[in-house]
Amino acid sequence: MSAERQGSLKGVDLIEEINRLREERNAVILAHYYQEPQIQDIADFVGDSLDLSRKAAETDAEVIAFCGVRFMAETAKILSPEKIVVLPDMDAGCSLEDSCPPDKFKAFREEHPDHIALTYINCSAAVKALSDIIVTSSSAEKILSQIPEEQKIIFAPDKHLGGYLARKTGRDMLLWPGVCIVHEAFSETELLKLMAKHPGAPVLAHPECPVAILDHADHVGSTSSILAKARETESDTVIVATEPHIMHQMEKALPGVNFIGAPGADGNCNCNICPYMALNTMEKLYTALRDLEPRIEIEESVRLEAKKSLDKMLAMASSTVGMGDIGAPRVTGD
Ligand code: 13P
Ligand code: SF4
């Protein structure tokens, strides 16, 4: 085996090789905003969870190299099963996914048979297969507005996003107690100090943040909506309460603006780098394209069930009028 195959990539021009392999493999590189800047820059498309799902469903490439976390790459495979989907590091998980094991979720659903399960996309394929409708942070409100008022709802697994939606829409939902460890780490005390230092600087926050942070935000939304809001700012300083790698896009768009990441309890924001997203590197992206490994595989029966709840999300997120056809709550006991 060559030194390169054993893991030493000395002498490899990663940008050149990734570009060559992308052509050779007929691959598309999709990246989330929380990936390191070099990965964002080499990707064919950078987006939020909903944008990336749509791209994965539409692409005619033969290979999808997914630079994000595992639930995102699984979503791509569920929607495009004929494609090879590689994830640079298969350990790129998510604390929200970990908080919601399928057996416990199934038992919870069985305790509440009259509730539909509206489930955040940050969950495993098995949990998607047990859910009625998937949502992302950018589509949740629109999808919720299409569910009849009298319909009882379980919202899983992010209690902060669920709580935010409940406060905003007045819908009473049963919340699964999961959290994102990254957004949970922001400190209200430190944020207030930063706001005092930069009076008038708008605070843009992701709804995965706890309510104590969201209460100080001028804008709450998905990564793509935070980015859109930042692009239209007239302020010379903007405080960003989400994973700090998104600031790469902001700094590229508005080089004259000072974007500051909201701090964690120790006063700096290193604790807000997503440790799962950070597992993907340019080196691993290169080897994933070279070896077409590690590959996402999903058992077909799980994939087909998970696809139903994802298809509902895609339809309801694009719907222009009226109530969505939500159907009856999924029967989980069989
Ligand atoms: P967005 O859909 O807002 O990009 O959020 C995705 C996410 O949770 C990554 O942590
Ligand atoms: Fe999961 Fe939070 Fe990382 Fe997003 S930022 S992938 S929700 S742990």
Side-chain angles (χ1 to χ4, degrees):
M1 190 185 268
S2 70
E4 188 185 305
R5 288 223 169 247
Q6 284 166 357
S8 162
L9 299 178
K10 221 168 144 209
V12 175
D13 181 329
L14 289 173
I15 294 178
E16 201 178 296
E17 283 300 294
I18 289 169
N19 283 331
R20 181 182 67 75
L21 286 165
R22 167 174 26 209
E23 285 280 305
E24 209 172 287
R25 302 277 191 230
N26 184 17
V28 65
I29 300 173
L30 303 182
H32 190 264
Y33 292 122
Y34 296 166
Q35 292 289 277
E36 64 178 43
Q38 268 200 306
I39 293 182
Q40 293 190 40
D41 288 347
I42 207 161
D44 295 285
F45 180 79
V46 189
D48 71 8
S49 305
L50 181 64
D51 302 330
L52 291 166
S53 311
R54 285 179 170 143
K55 282 283 169 198
E58 283 161 10
T59 183
D60 50 17
E62 289 169 66
V63 173
I64 300 174
F66 208 112
C67 299
V69 287
R70 199 174 48 237
F71 75 79
M72 296 178 177
E74 279 185 353
T75 299
K77 185 69 181 175
I78 292 165
L79 295 171
S80 285
E82 69 294 351
K83 316 239 183 280
I84 293 173
V85 179
V86 290
L87 177 65
D89 192 316
M90 202 48 96
D91 289 333
C94 171
S95 65
L96 283 168
E97 173 179 343
D98 294 345
S99 78
C100 192
D103 56 335
K104 295 215 168 65
F105 183 65
K106 185 169 185 282
F108 187 66
R109 289 222 59 183
E110 283 163 3
E111 283 166 29
H112 306 284
D114 53 346
H115 286 59
I116 62 159
L118 198 61
T119 308
Y120 193 29
I121 197 164
N122 299 36
C123 64
S124 63
V127 166
K128 288 184 177 73
L130 293 166
S131 301
D132 294 296
I133 310 170
I134 301 301
V135 300
T136 62
S137 51
S138 56
S139 60
E141 230 180 294
K142 181 169 182 186
I143 290 174
L144 197 48
S145 74
Q146 295 170 61
I147 299 175
E149 280 297 325
E150 62 283 5
Q151 175 62 59
K152 293 179 181 161
I153 300 172
I154 288 170
F155 188 88
D158 185 358
K159 70 171 184 184
H160 293 314
L161 173 60
Y164 167 74
L165 291 166
R167 290 190 299 280
K168 183 128 193 242
T169 64
R171 295 294 288 258
D172 185 26
M173 300 190 286
L174 264 184
L175 304 182
W176 187 269
V179 296
C180 160
I181 51 164
V182 172
H183 292 83
E184 183 81 349
F186 290 120
S187 155
E188 183 187 20
T189 311
E190 294 300 323
L191 176 61
L192 287 171
K193 283 190 211 162
L194 191 65
M195 289 167 71
K197 227 164 117 184
H198 302 281
V203 177
L204 313 180
H206 196 282
E208 287 174 13
C209 292
V211 62
I213 300 295
L214 297 182
D215 276 349
H216 302 292
D218 298 280
H219 174 77
V220 178
S222 70
T223 50
S224 55
S225 100
I226 288 177
L227 183 56
K229 206 73 191 166
R231 283 195 171 118
E232 58 191 44
T233 191
E234 288 178 4
S235 175
D236 58 4
T237 305
V238 175
I239 298 172
V240 180
T242 192
E243 213 274 357
H245 284 111
I246 194 174
M247 289 190 283
H248 176 57
Q249 296 294 333
M250 298 175 181
E251 283 157 0
K252 277 203 323 193
L254 297 167
V257 175
N258 182 20
F259 292 102
I260 309 176
D266 63 356
N268 76 49
C269 59
N270 281 345
C271 50
N272 303 115
I273 289 179
C274 174
Y276 306 102
M277 292 273 182
L279 290 174
N280 294 326
T281 60
M282 286 288 278
E283 287 80 2
K284 291 180 198 167
L285 171 58
Y286 160 67
T287 52
L289 281 168
R290 184 191 67 191
D291 304 340
L292 295 182
E293 295 286 350
R295 240 180 243 207
I296 299 283
E297 304 290 357
I298 300 169
E299 195 197 307
E300 186 61 3
S301 60
V302 173
R303 188 190 73 78
L304 288 173
E305 289 304 309
K307 187 170 183 301
K308 288 182 192 165
S309 54
L310 275 168
D311 282 344
K312 277 200 184 138
M313 170 188 83
L314 292 172
M316 292 172 88
S318 307
S319 125
T320 45
V321 276
M323 291 286 167
D325 173 18
I326 61 162
R330 192 191 278 270
V331 177
T332 59
D334 47 13

